[in-house]
Amino acid sequence: APWGWGVGGGGPPRGARTRVAEERGGIRDGRGVRPPEPAARRRPRRVRRVVEHGPVMQSRLVMGYRTPVGHGDRLSFPLVVMNSILGGSPVSRLFREVRERRSLAYYCSSSVDQAKGTAFVQAGIDGENAPRVERIVRRQLADLRAGRIERAELQAAKAALRAGLLAVRDSPGRIAGFLGERWLATGPRSFGEILAAVRRVRRGDVAEAARTLRLDTVYLLTDGKR
């Protein structure tokens, strides 16, 4: 799931539940299960930069961050909302600023993986625009860390998350993925509980979640001319 949480509303079918119980020492319905710790808790000492060249028509810029926020953390849902504001939705800052306003990218988005403790910004760009795009990303994240978030922007990000959550119910595969993830996670599990948790997120929560991100690696795949 791209937001790091899913829709509750029931356990897996009985046969699957029994098999998991056998394999995992009697675990049933997620009771007594501790969510996995984020795998990327180490703070980077310095930002790594990797440039690769290849026969590509469109360069790829990826900025990888580390975060200690995992499933069940008090900042879990603020991190989800922060991602929606930054680049995880059609109303995000990166979509508006990098793609629409400045026309520097064919796409520009962000994602979080709370199981691994990572966040990524991805952009399809012309290679020569990489430094400008990186500066914009850093500036937008700095604004979020400082709490410079408009009320309308916060509400739009939450609405986008709600719409995405509703869309999950249209796909059995996505429902299974969300249910499986929530089954192993602590905290809200049902559809209503998750929506309520998102609604409770405030501007200060988003800023605090943004401050947990630490840039680890900047990767650029570009053609041989750069």
Side-chain angles (χ1 to χ4, degrees):
W3 304 285
W5 41 261
V7 180
R14 179 171 300 178
R17 185 188 302 123
T18 301
R19 181 62 181 273
V20 170
E22 293 172 352
E23 295 292 331
R24 294 292 180 266
I27 294 173
R28 291 185 177 276
D29 296 326
R31 286 190 289 270
V33 179
R34 292 176 61 85
E37 295 288 332
R41 285 188 176 275
R42 179 177 58 84
R43 290 172 62 110
R45 293 182 178 179
R46 61 181 179 82
V47 177
R48 293 194 307 153
R49 293 188 175 274
V50 180
V51 178
E52 293 185 346
H53 300 277
V56 295
M57 297 296 294
Q58 181 185 119
S59 297
R60 304 295 199 275
L61 175 68
V62 180
M63 300 173 65
Y65 294 83
R66 294 178 182 267
T67 174
V69 177
H71 292 300
D73 191 280
R74 67 180 182 84
L75 292 177
S76 176
F77 286 95
L79 184 65
V80 167
V81 176
M82 186 283 301
N83 178 65
S84 183
I85 295 174
L86 179 63
S89 71
V91 298
S92 70
R93 291 185 173 195
L94 296 183
F95 182 85
R96 297 196 315 267
E97 185 71 17
V98 179
R99 186 178 185 277
E100 290 192 332
R101 189 172 301 167
R102 299 180 184 271
S103 299
L104 291 175
Y106 304 101
Y107 69 87
C108 189
S109 64
S110 67
S111 61
V112 295
D113 186 335
Q114 294 188 32
K116 295 181 178 179
T118 57
F120 293 94
V121 171
Q122 312 92 15
I125 61 175
D126 292 328
E128 62 269 18
N129 289 329
R132 295 178 63 190
V133 173
E134 182 180 339
R135 285 195 297 270
I136 293 172
V137 173
R138 287 174 177 266
R139 185 164 60 247
Q140 293 301 326
L141 187 54
D143 284 346
L144 291 178
R145 287 168 171 160
R148 290 190 280 270
I149 305 165
E150 298 292 336
R151 177 181 175 83
E153 182 180 36
L154 180 61
Q155 295 305 315
K158 292 181 180 180
L161 286 171
R162 183 178 186 278
L165 197 56
L166 290 172
V168 167
R169 299 188 299 182
D170 296 333
S171 167
R174 293 182 69 187
I175 290 174
F178 269 64
L179 285 173
E181 188 171 293
R182 295 312 304 169
W183 190 52
L184 294 174
T186 59
R189 291 187 177 181
S190 74
F191 180 78
E193 288 172 339
I194 291 170
L195 288 179
V198 170
R199 285 195 297 270
R200 288 194 295 267
V201 174
R202 299 291 181 258
R203 182 185 309 170
D205 303 325
V206 173
E208 188 176 357
R211 288 194 291 269
T212 70
L213 297 184
R214 292 292 182 270
L215 185 60
D216 182 282
T217 302
V218 178
Y219 170 83
L220 178 66
L221 171 64
T222 188
D223 59 29
K225 300 176 182 178
R226 192 174 185 276

